[in-house]
Amino acid sequence: MALPFARSLRLCSWGAKRLGIAVAEARRGISFKLEEKTAHSSLALFKGDTGVKYGLVGLEPTKVALNVERFREWAVVLADTAVTSGRHYWEVTVKRSQQFRIGVADVDISRDSCIGIDDHSWVFTYAQRKWYTMLIKEKTPIEGIGQPEKVGLLLDYEAQKLSLVDVSRVIVVHTLQTDFRGPVVPAFALWDGELLTHSGLEVPEGL
């Protein structure tokens, strides 16, 4: 028996809303916090472990909980959520930092290493007022993006790509071709100022 028109319309409307929710959820990237147990002793987390700040002196190593997951030589911190598939987008607000690196790294990257110096990480770096890609210590200049206030990162795991996004224009500035061999996590390094992460975001239209 056919449903009354009004009820059919309500059901169609409900179904469209549910479909919209499903599509939005499919577009939404990972939600993560920074993992304190990985943070170098010169770094301090804040704002519910979504931000990281650099201290010139930092914490005394003897006052930091001993943990094999902690970076020992370089000012690096990893996120607490790994990626093994899908497309994911997050943003980073830059506060008073003139030297930092953002990207992804293998979950088992050496804690005596730094992101950007070997083939276990893929990063964009900002230093000396310029952007670069950095892989196995090789830096390549990036044009078309200036002093950062907020930038985006778009990770496409299956396509093996990591892109730097200009959030003001919502365009991809540069894409790194990666070589993921297993789970990767968002990774951050800095030598001054603060970085504040924004995750759980939808992939912007057109990217």
Side-chain angles (χ1 to χ4, degrees):
M1 184 174 66
L3 290 171
F5 177 75
R7 187 181 176 193
S8 298
L9 189 61
R10 286 197 300 270
L11 286 174
C12 288
S13 177
W14 178 84
K17 288 180 180 177
R18 293 298 301 170
L19 179 61
I21 291 172
V23 170
E25 288 177 348
R27 290 175 58 84
R28 196 174 299 280
I30 59 167
S31 181
F32 63 82
K33 292 186 177 181
L34 303 178
E35 189 74 82
E36 193 280 333
K37 67 181 180 181
T38 68
H40 184 267
S41 60
S42 65
L43 302 177
L45 305 187
F46 66 97
K47 201 164 185 179
D49 293 346
T50 60
V52 57
K53 63 178 65 177
Y54 178 81
L56 184 60
V57 176
L59 300 174
E60 286 289 339
T62 55
K63 295 182 180 180
V64 176
L66 293 175
N67 195 310
V68 295
E69 296 295 314
R70 193 176 303 283
F71 281 85
R72 293 176 284 272
E73 301 294 331
W74 298 86
V76 176
V77 62
L78 303 180
D80 64 358
T81 304
V83 174
T84 57
S85 64
R87 299 178 80 235
H88 305 274
Y89 176 77
W90 61 95
E91 295 179 347
V92 181
T93 296
V94 181
K95 296 184 177 181
R96 300 183 299 279
S97 182
Q98 297 296 319
Q99 188 175 1
F100 59 89
R101 299 176 188 176
I102 55 176
V104 297
D106 290 340
V107 294
D108 59 353
I109 185 174
S110 170
R111 297 324 195 237
D112 292 317
S113 184
C114 184
I115 58 174
I117 68 172
D118 58 28
D119 61 353
H120 292 281
S121 60
W122 300 265
V123 304
F124 299 101
T125 181
Y126 185 79
Q128 299 174 330
R129 300 177 182 272
K130 294 181 180 179
W131 281 97
Y132 305 87
T133 62
M134 194 165 187
L135 179 63
I136 315 178
K137 294 185 179 180
E138 292 187 6
K139 292 200 304 184
T140 303
I142 299 175
E143 304 295 336
I145 185 169
Q147 178 79 16
E149 292 185 0
K150 181 185 286 187
V151 294
L153 287 179
L154 176 63
L155 170 64
D156 190 330
Y157 190 91
E158 280 78 15
Q160 300 270 297
K161 292 180 179 180
L162 179 69
S163 299
L164 181 66
V165 177
D166 182 332
V167 299
S168 64
R169 295 181 290 166
V170 196
I171 61 169
V172 168
V173 177
H174 191 90
T175 297
L176 271 174
Q177 190 66 48
T178 66
D179 182 25
F180 301 143
R181 297 171 292 273
V184 295
V185 291
F188 310 86
L190 70 161
W191 290 270
D192 61 358
E194 305 174 1
L195 300 178
L196 181 62
T197 66
H198 312 275
S199 63
L201 305 176
E202 291 184 17
V203 176
E205 291 285 348
L207 294 186

